[in-house]
Amino acid sequence: MLVDIDGVLNPLRRPHRRFRRHRVAPDGHALNVWLDVRHGRMLRDLAADTGAELVWATYWRDEANVWIGPRLGLPELPFVPVPPFPGIEEGGTFGSWKARHVAAWTRDRPFVWFEDEPDAAASLAAEPGVGDHLLVGVDPVRGLTEAHIASAATWLSARPLPPAVTG
Ligand SMILES: [Mg+2]
């Protein structure tokens, strides 16, 4: 389960009083984020209920484990190494650039992706060899909701469980 931060866990503006402002400094750049600690529990429960693994898929890369995860009660998570967006002049968008790197990292594995970039789904579908997936589109003004979690849970529970790791 791939999780974006900006527009998903950190909405564009505070959508509800549950969200608290946090001062953070990923890569030394000070900024404010809005976080709802309930998101941490929702994601942990989803992972526990479905057996799927949580992974960061964000331009924050491993800074997510420093600045966001601990504030939501999430353990250190693997992350998709999305390189910095090269710019519009190079072609593409934030969403298509990210989709390319998500496809490369997931290879043919099935995954759910919580993402707010509007062109991410189409970009992902255009990537060759991408695995079976569900892109859960999030409204960046509202951020992640219970309905998004429910969609992911339904899709994941309809899939056969991977073989148990023994030994
Ligand atoms: Mg985003």
Side-chain angles (χ1 to χ4, degrees), residues 8-11 13-22 33-37 39 142-144:
V8 175
L9 299 181
N10 170 38
R13 51 180 180 265
R14 190 186 200 186
H16 191 279
R17 284 189 310 172
R18 287 192 308 271
F19 285 76
R20 299 259 182 261
R21 190 167 68 172
H22 298 263
V33 293
W34 291 110
L35 296 176
D36 178 357
V37 73
H39 280 159
R142 293 190 61 205
L144 186 71

Side-chain angles (χ1 to χ4, degrees), residues 26 34 44 56 89-90 101 106 108 121 145 154:
W34 291 110
R44 287 195 313 270
W56 295 117
E89 61 278 6
E90 299 288 320
H101 293 281
T106 53
D108 56 352
T145 66
T154 302

Side-chain angles (χ1 to χ4, degrees), residues 20-83:
R20 299 259 182 261
R21 190 167 68 172
H22 298 263
R23 189 88 172 141
V24 297
D27 296 318
H29 304 293
L31 56 113
N32 293 319
V33 293
W34 291 110
L35 296 176
D36 178 357
V37 73
R38 295 197 329 165
H39 280 159
R41 178 180 52 73
M42 288 158 63
L43 291 169
R44 287 195 313 270
D45 287 352
L46 182 61
D49 292 348
T50 61
E53 183 185 19
L54 289 168
V55 174
W56 295 117
T58 160
Y59 285 101
W60 290 61
R61 295 182 289 279
D62 52 338
E63 294 286 288
N65 282 320
V66 177
W67 300 101
I68 304 298
R71 287 172 168 82
L72 296 179
L74 291 170
E76 183 160 341
L77 302 177
F79 63 96
V80 178
V82 188

Side-chain angles (χ1 to χ4, degrees), residues 5-6 24 27 46 59 61 71 73 93 97 103 112 135 147-148 152 162:
I5 292 177
D6 295 317
V24 297
D27 296 318
L46 182 61
Y59 285 101
R61 295 182 289 279
R71 287 172 168 82
T93 62
W97 180 253
V112 168
L135 197 145
H148 298 130

